[in-house]
Amino acid sequence: MCVNFTPPTHRQLLDGFGLDATGLEWRAETWQDYPAPIITAGGLLLASYGFIPKPHLPPGVRLTTMNARAETIGEKPTYKRAWSRCQLCLVPMQAFFEPCYETGKAVRTRIGLASGEPFAVAGMWREWQEPDGGVSHAFTQITINAEEHPPMKHMHKPRDEKRSLVILPREIYGDWLVCREPELARAMLVLFPADFVVARAVLLKTR
């Protein structure tokens, strides 16, 4: 599963997605509970990475909701309602990071398009009511099995199930955002061609 990615720059959002993010700010790398831009049917939003942001967790509860499994997304209490309503989004990015165990040790690996262009992965979003009466937004990324996919089958510990984000083809961005049938949405969740991406080892930046 992905817990860290590089969101697009303001210029990349404008040039690659036709969206003006003037007035919105986010960090160069996104981790849990960091704000990042997402694209919904209604437009661009700044949302927290993780479906249940830390301030909304019950005291003493630790829960990671940055990734939702496609196979169970309609059954888990955390995601069931939003999935039934097809609150789908695109999560634009330059690349995402995974630990590669091909050498036997974890090597932080950057996965991006071979073309170098920004892209979008399948996600789901929701609203949160804040104590001050305002509304905030949060999102999760949807993952699928990648046991037979090079290079994703080398990511994560050897005994762990291999999972991958879903890089959506640009031509179905609109179909994904306006989809209102959960099973139709699920049918769009397929692995990207192996030669579509480039995976390379990188150093971990200090947060």
Side-chain angles (χ1 to χ4, degrees):
M1 64 179 183
C2 173
V3 299
N4 171 221
F5 67 92
T6 304
T9 64
H10 285 68
R11 173 53 64 181
Q12 287 173 330
L13 264 180
L14 186 60
D15 292 347
F17 299 89
L19 295 169
D20 186 350
T22 299
L24 301 181
E25 297 296 334
W26 55 88
R27 302 188 192 190
E29 285 196 14
T30 303
W31 297 83
Q32 185 173 9
D33 292 322
Y34 285 19
I38 63 170
I39 303 167
T40 72
L44 185 67
L45 293 176
L46 197 62
S48 180
Y49 185 25
F51 216 56
I52 305 180
K54 187 176 180 180
H56 291 277
L57 286 172
V61 173
R62 298 182 65 183
L63 183 64
T64 299
T65 55
M66 291 174 285
N67 299 272
R69 296 170 60 93
E71 297 88 344
T72 58
I73 195 170
E75 304 164 12
K76 297 293 184 180
T78 298
Y79 308 114
K80 184 176 181 179
R81 185 178 183 186
W83 178 250
S84 68
R85 295 181 173 186
C86 278
Q87 293 173 198
L88 308 176
C89 68
L90 298 170
V91 184
M93 61 182 67
Q94 301 178 55
F96 59 94
F97 300 91
E98 300 283 10
C100 178
Y101 278 81
E102 198 169 11
T103 64
K105 295 182 179 181
V107 176
R108 187 177 190 243
T109 302
R110 180 187 189 275
I111 300 164
L113 294 194
S115 66
E117 298 175 305
F119 56 95
V121 303
M124 189 169 67
W125 68 282
R126 64 160 294 172
E127 293 184 347
W128 284 97
Q129 296 294 324
E130 299 299 336
D132 63 2
V135 175
S136 65
H137 303 92
F139 71 96
T140 187
Q141 298 164 335
I142 302 173
T143 68
I144 57 177
N145 183 276
E147 295 285 349
E148 302 300 324
H149 185 276
M152 301 309 296
K153 66 180 181 181
H154 299 297
M155 306 300 159
H156 301 288
K157 296 179 180 179
R159 292 188 179 87
D160 289 352
E161 180 191 0
K162 311 308 175 187
R163 308 287 301 177
S164 176
L165 300 182
V166 179
I167 299 177
L168 292 171
R170 186 172 291 272
E171 58 268 22
I172 71 166
Y173 284 178
D175 294 336
W176 175 256
L177 291 177
V178 301
C179 182
R180 292 298 175 264
E181 296 291 336
E183 291 311 309
L184 180 58
R186 198 190 304 274
M188 298 186 210
L189 300 173
V190 298
L191 288 169
F192 46 88
D195 60 359
F196 198 54
V197 299
V198 170
R200 61 181 177 83
V202 293
L203 294 175
L204 176 64
K205 293 182 179 179
T206 302
R207 293 197 226 176

